[in-house]
């Protein structure tokens, strides 16, 4: 299998974590996503993935799988053990809810393509974009933290073992910490994050810092 990646991408980080948990090896192909003419917006990459996003997985049958959650679910079905969803019904729902809150309510509003669009709006500068990113990150992680606290989550999202909720939470918390946000404002999420930092599959596959 081939995986198109970018090291700073939190979505790429998610898939790499899942691969590490599963012990699955793939060929990785780097794709630039920043700058004036990033490769992910070029014709060559758009022929691979018409969405122009990373990560993108090409299976050993030549089938394209896009979107990090869909790729993670594909890997979980391809190789069921260890599972990436908890055993209990409510715990599975919680893990999925955390994952989707991060993917749809935070990450969808702060990637490079959103920053490019914002920068084209008159009066919007780098400080304004940073404030935009901080607003949606704080709002989203506050909701995630409340969700975790209300469910009385275990050592990880949804139970005793890391699951898809943890896989999405970890890179988002890494980015929030690097942005100078006080993680103590999200005590439930921060406690899980600290535990995940001790798990090699997570620690070794965090998103790289932007240069």
């Amino acid at each position: 299998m081939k995986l198109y990646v970018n090291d700073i991408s939190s979505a790429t980080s998610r898939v790499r974590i899942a691969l590490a948990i599963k012990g699955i090896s793939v060929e990785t192909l780097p794709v630039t996503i920043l700058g004036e003419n990033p490769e992910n917006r070029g014709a060559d990459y758009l022929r691979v993935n018409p969405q122009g996003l990373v990560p993108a997985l090409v299976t050993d049958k030549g089938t394209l799988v896009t979107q990090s959650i869909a790729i993670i679910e594909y890997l979980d079905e391809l190789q069921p053990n260890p599972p990436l969803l908890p055993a209990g019904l409510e715990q599975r729902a919680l893990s999925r809810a955390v994952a989707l809150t991060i993917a749809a309510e935070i990450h969808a509003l702060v990637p490079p393509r959103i920053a490019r669009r914002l920068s084209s709006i008159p009066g919007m500068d780098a400080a304004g974009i940073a404030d935009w990113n901080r607003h949606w990150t704080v709002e989203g992680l506050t909701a995630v933290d409340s969700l975790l606290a209300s469910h009385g989550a275990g050592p990880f999202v949804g139970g005793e073992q890391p699951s898809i909720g943890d896989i999405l939470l970890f890179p988002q918390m890494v980015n929030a910490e690097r942005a100078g946000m006080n993680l103590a404002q999200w005590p439930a999420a921060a406690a899980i994050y600290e535990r995940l930092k001790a798990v090699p599959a997570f620690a070794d596959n965090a998103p790289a810092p932007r240069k």
Side-chain angles (χ1 to χ4, degrees):
M1 293 191 289
K2 296 180 180 181
L3 183 67
Y4 292 83
V5 302
N6 185 278
D7 287 345
I8 70 166
S9 162
S10 59
T12 291
S13 173
R14 301 166 191 165
V15 173
R16 282 180 156 164
I17 291 168
L19 288 166
I21 292 172
K22 295 288 188 180
I24 298 174
S25 296
V26 298
E27 178 185 358
T28 57
L29 302 169
V31 179
T32 61
I33 61 175
L34 298 178
E36 291 297 320
N37 295 294
E39 292 171 345
N40 70 307
R41 307 310 303 170
D44 288 346
Y45 186 65
L46 290 174
R47 280 191 287 270
V48 174
N49 180 7
Q51 293 176 302
L53 302 174
V54 292
L57 179 73
V58 178
T59 73
D60 54 5
K61 296 181 180 179
T63 302
L64 174 68
V65 185
T66 65
Q67 296 293 331
S68 63
I69 291 179
I71 295 171
I72 291 166
E73 290 179 342
Y74 171 83
L75 296 172
D76 203 28
E77 293 172 2
L78 177 70
Q79 184 168 303
N81 290 307
L84 298 180
L85 281 170
L89 185 62
E90 287 79 10
Q91 290 76 23
R92 291 165 76 90
L94 172 61
S95 188
R96 287 187 172 111
V98 168
L100 287 168
T101 299
I102 292 167
E105 307 296 337
I106 304 176
H107 182 78
L109 293 165
V110 300
R113 62 178 180 163
I114 298 297
R116 283 196 297 271
R117 174 57 183 159
L118 289 172
S119 67
S120 71
I121 298 174
M124 180 63 76
D125 57 12
I129 294 172
D131 182 69
W132 168 281
N133 291 345
R134 179 178 292 272
H135 170 83
W136 292 115
T137 299
V138 169
E139 183 167 301
L141 285 177
T142 299
V144 166
D145 192 70
S146 295
L147 190 62
L148 292 169
S150 68
H151 280 72
F156 301 108
V157 176
E160 298 298 318
Q161 301 296 327
S163 64
I164 193 169
D166 302 276
I167 290 171
L168 271 82
L169 178 65
F170 182 77
Q172 194 64 59
M173 294 292 280
V174 169
N175 288 340
E177 188 171 42
R178 287 176 180 162
M181 299 182 191
N182 181 9
L183 302 190
Q185 64 187 299
W186 308 301
I192 292 172
Y193 174 55
E194 286 302 315
R195 296 184 193 105
L196 292 172
K197 288 198 289 187
V199 179
F202 288 79
D204 295 344
N205 292 288
R210 293 192 183 190
K211 296 178 180 180

